[in-house]
Amino acid sequence: MSIDTTEKPEPSGGKSRGKASGGERFADWTDGRLGIYSLARANMRKIFPDHWSFMLGEIVLYSFVIIILTGVYLTLFFHPSMNEVEYTGSYVPMQGQLMSEAFNSTMHISFDVRGGLLIRQIHHWAALVFLAGMFVHMMRVFFTGAFRKPREVNWLFGWLLFILGMFTGFTGYSLPDDLLSGTGVRFMEGAILAVPVVGTYLSFFLFGGEFPGGDFVARFYSVHILLLPGIMLGLLAAHLFLVFYHKHTQWAGPGRTNKNVVGMPFLPVYTAKAGGFFFLVFGVISVVAAIATINPIWAIGPYRPDQVSTGAQPDWYMGFSEGLIRVMPGWEVNFWGHTLVLGVLIPLLIFPLVLVSIGVYPFIEAWITGDKREHHILDRPRNAPTRTGLGVAWITLYMVLLVGGGNDLFATHLHLSINAITWFVRVGFFAAPVIAFLVTKRICLGLQRRDRDKVLHGRESGIIKRLPHGEFIEVHEPLAQEALHKLTAHEQYEPAAIAPPTDDNGVAKKLTRGEKLRAKLSRGYYAEGNQIPKPTVQEYEEITSGHGHH
């Protein structure tokens, strides 16, 4: 055993180690038991790439922190009870009205708690920003292929966060027990009743009896502040841990490979920038909350089961499901003495199927390509036209159904027939995604052709040159090496080939349906006409070795 006898320099201020300050002694004591110093030393200098698109995930994280902070404040004053009371607060138009304690306490927060209305507004706007940021962040990950190995599990974590965020938002805006949120809960109850056999039992269990019952606010409250946020917090921690563990993806560029990361250290550069960005996000959400009212329950009134009005839409992230049900024909089938409400049941089946297809897509693409390698370099969306087309088709479908979820608002504000809007959504449900896919794919292929032309012929300079034989041409400037690398760094896959019909001994082999399907899908992704070949070195050298023009 060797012992290091080298003298160590004394701490600043001339104090010997035996005369360490209380803070230093506490730090030594803590590090000896928790190993914080060694852990921080190993991770605080971790390198992160710098690009504006990576800030989308930060917006999601910071808005979640804002939701937690404002939610804690609101729980101090909210009473999750449906007991009926008479309103005696400071909002005169409602004095003397009967309402639930939940609605009464929300009115108290809005008008009698100092800063209560602003906190409510910040909480609601932060929830909208959280889900909108997650939607855009997931699309960034999807379009750039950042979900590929080894990040498939992290994609699932983010996907679960989005789904849980949707239901957390739904339970949250249902808590005030106002007429708007009560209509949404009634809509959900109708969907539950459409479930064959067990729908009635589920409804009675959730509401504690016949709708609206007397328990659903208290139950939604527990789910909203304990169950769902606890799961989301665990998923968020796991998501961030995997980002650290796998290292961050980066865009292609000189010196960047799948084995390194080019960027800035987490401490102090990234933490300083992230801290400033947090306050920027908080400030923007606060300004929006201060000037744009959302969910003014005093103008809507408390919930009554016998009342509903035009303009009752959920927040945008639930519009997809509502649009499905609103535009679905009211089909019913009598089956063995039971009525199957297909007008509600079919949308209930489509909604989770679409969400599940998004969650499992990384595994589907990995199966199609057969690529088992790790990927840390991002794709440009144009270089994966089929994937990009699928992403745009999904967004188009979402937007079309969002119109369906607000068909009455579109009808009243645009002076259109609600039946015309409903039929537009019905036709658009099938046609719009297909059109969006084809158009997006053609655009991506056109951009690939332009990139190929820029690599081979350079950038237009605007300089006209006359050749000795009288021809006028425009001189093209060659691209810089960094630009050439960016335009040619992407990989091009070969479509999966079907195995030979016979083995080495000449015995016929039977191809499985899975092998045939994989080969067909692979051709749809990578066959001729689905990607433009990259310029080869020989093509580039042949053209650039000419007379100084291309």
Side-chain angles (χ1 to χ4, degrees):
M1 181 178 66
S2 62
I3 301 176
D4 184 5
T5 59
T6 306
E7 294 184 2
K8 298 181 180 180
E10 293 184 356
S12 59
K15 293 182 180 180
S16 65
R17 189 166 182 83
K19 298 180 180 179
S21 64
E24 291 174 334
R25 289 196 300 271
F26 177 75
D28 290 340
W29 184 90
T30 305
D31 183 60
R33 288 152 181 80
L34 302 178
I36 295 176
Y37 175 74
S38 57
L39 182 65
R41 183 175 57 184
N43 293 283
M44 291 298 100
R45 298 295 293 176
K46 193 174 184 68
I47 300 298
F48 279 84
D50 191 18
H51 192 270
W52 67 266
S53 63
F54 301 150
M55 299 170 68
L56 296 171
E58 293 184 49
I59 293 175
V60 176
L61 174 62
Y62 301 152
S63 56
F64 184 77
V65 173
I66 296 169
I67 291 170
I68 297 298
L69 294 176
T70 53
V72 170
Y73 183 82
L74 294 174
T75 57
L76 301 177
F77 305 98
F78 182 73
H79 300 290
S81 171
M82 296 183 70
N83 294 332
E84 197 171 63
V85 297
E86 181 180 333
Y87 181 69
T88 58
S90 58
Y91 187 68
V92 177
M94 278 195 177
Q95 288 181 355
Q97 286 195 35
L98 295 178
M99 58 187 63
S100 66
E101 283 192 48
F103 188 91
N104 183 62
S105 63
T106 308
M107 290 290 293
H108 176 71
I109 292 171
S110 302
F111 290 97
D112 300 305
V113 174
R114 187 178 297 275
L117 179 58
L118 178 62
I119 298 298
R120 270 195 64 224
Q121 299 281 285
I122 292 175
H123 188 73
H124 201 146
W125 276 111
L128 295 178
V129 171
F130 172 75
L131 284 158
M134 192 177 301
F135 181 87
V136 179
H137 176 62
M138 289 184 67
M139 289 299 99
R140 196 277 298 174
V141 172
F142 181 86
F143 286 128
T144 60
F147 54 77
R148 293 173 294 178
K149 183 182 178 180
R151 297 177 178 83
E152 302 96 332
V153 175
N154 221 11
W155 167 266
L156 287 177
F157 285 164
W159 174 75
L160 287 172
L161 275 170
F162 183 72
I163 294 177
L164 292 177
M166 292 170 58
F167 288 101
T168 305
F170 175 78
T171 55
Y173 71 63
S174 300
L175 292 180
D177 197 30
D178 60 287
L179 185 58
L180 177 62
S181 66
T183 302
V185 175
R186 180 72 175 191
F187 182 90
M188 182 197 71
E189 191 248 357
I192 292 174
L193 289 176
V195 178
V197 183
V198 298
T200 305
Y201 300 99
L202 290 175
S203 176
F204 269 67
F205 171 77
L206 182 63
F207 296 102
E210 190 74 31
F211 179 85
D215 298 330
F216 89 84
V217 168
R219 294 179 179 182
F220 277 28
Y221 182 72
S222 300
V223 170
H224 180 71
I225 71 167
L226 291 176
L227 179 63
L228 295 180
I231 299 174
M232 292 175 67
L233 193 61
L235 287 172
L236 188 61
H239 185 79
L240 294 176
F241 171 78
L242 288 180
V243 170
F244 264 82
Y245 179 73
H246 291 144
K247 74 184 180 182
H248 206 290
T249 54
Q250 57 186 341
W251 292 97
R256 299 176 182 179
T257 68
N258 279 315
K259 297 182 179 180
N260 69 356
V261 178
V262 178
M264 295 178 293
F266 183 75
L267 187 74
V269 179
Y270 193 80
T271 50
K273 295 175 66 176
F277 190 49
F278 167 76
F279 289 107
L280 178 63
V281 172
F282 205 154
V284 170
I285 292 177
S286 299
V287 170
V288 172
I291 63 177
T293 303
I294 188 170
N295 195 21
I297 62 168
W298 54 90
I300 301 172
Y303 177 66
R304 288 185 54 181
D306 60 339
Q307 292 183 356
V308 68
S309 61
T310 301
Q313 280 79 31
D315 285 337
W316 70 269
Y317 47 86
M318 296 299 290
F320 177 82
S321 57
E322 179 146 343
L324 277 169
I325 294 179
R326 285 198 185 194
V327 303
M328 181 70 189
W331 296 339
E332 292 184 357
V333 175
N334 292 318
F335 186 72
W336 285 358
H338 297 277
T339 300
L340 295 180
V341 187
L342 299 181
V344 179
L345 183 60
I346 291 178
L348 283 181
L349 296 176
I350 294 175
F351 181 59
L353 284 176
V354 172
L355 293 179
V356 169
S357 66
I358 296 172
V360 301
Y361 180 84
F363 305 96
I364 296 174
E365 183 172 306
W367 175 68
I368 293 173
T369 61
D371 190 356
K372 306 298 183 182
R373 299 169 300 165
E374 290 191 2
H375 292 273
H376 303 288
I377 301 294
L378 298 173
D379 285 336
R380 300 175 77 202
R382 67 184 64 182
N383 294 327
T386 302
R387 180 204 299 153
T388 303
L390 289 173
V392 174
W394 145 244
I395 295 174
T396 303
L397 176 64
Y398 195 101
M399 295 305 170
V400 167
L401 290 174
L402 199 59
V403 173
N407 55 1
D408 53 346
L409 283 181
F410 281 94
T412 55
H413 284 67
L414 300 179
H415 307 289
L416 298 172
S417 166
I418 194 169
N419 290 327
I421 295 175
T422 301
W423 274 106
F424 165 79
V425 176
R426 287 175 178 175
V427 175
F429 176 84
F430 297 99
V434 176
I435 295 173
F437 174 80
L438 295 175
V439 171
T440 301
K441 195 170 180 179
R442 299 308 304 174
I443 291 174
C444 290
L445 293 173
L447 292 173
Q448 286 189 44
R449 290 189 183 94
R450 191 185 70 171
D451 289 346
R452 175 184 171 86
D453 184 70
K454 287 173 67 176
V455 170
L456 293 177
H457 301 287
R459 182 178 59 253
E460 296 179 355
S461 65
I463 300 174
I464 305 300
K465 181 179 179 181
R466 183 180 182 181
L467 300 181
H469 59 275
E471 179 186 0
F472 288 92
I473 57 98
E474 181 181 10
V475 177
H476 286 204
E477 296 178 352
L479 299 179
Q481 288 299 317
E482 182 176 354
L484 288 173
H485 183 91
K486 176 182 176 182
L487 298 180
T488 58
H490 59 283
E491 295 185 59
Q492 291 194 304
Y493 293 91
E494 293 292 333
I498 298 180
T502 59
D503 59 19
D504 297 336
N505 298 320
V507 179
K509 293 190 302 184
K510 185 177 181 181
L511 296 176
T512 64
R513 292 182 179 180
E515 291 175 329
K516 295 179 181 179
L517 177 62
R518 177 172 178 260
K520 188 174 182 179
L521 292 174
S522 182
R523 288 194 299 271
Y525 269 71
Y526 306 118
E528 184 178 357
N530 292 292
Q531 58 181 349
I532 305 302
K534 291 193 300 184
T536 64
V537 177
Q538 292 77 12
E539 289 176 317
Y540 178 76
E541 291 179 348
E542 180 180 350
I543 291 180
T544 56
S545 62
H547 301 286
H549 68 274
H550 327 316

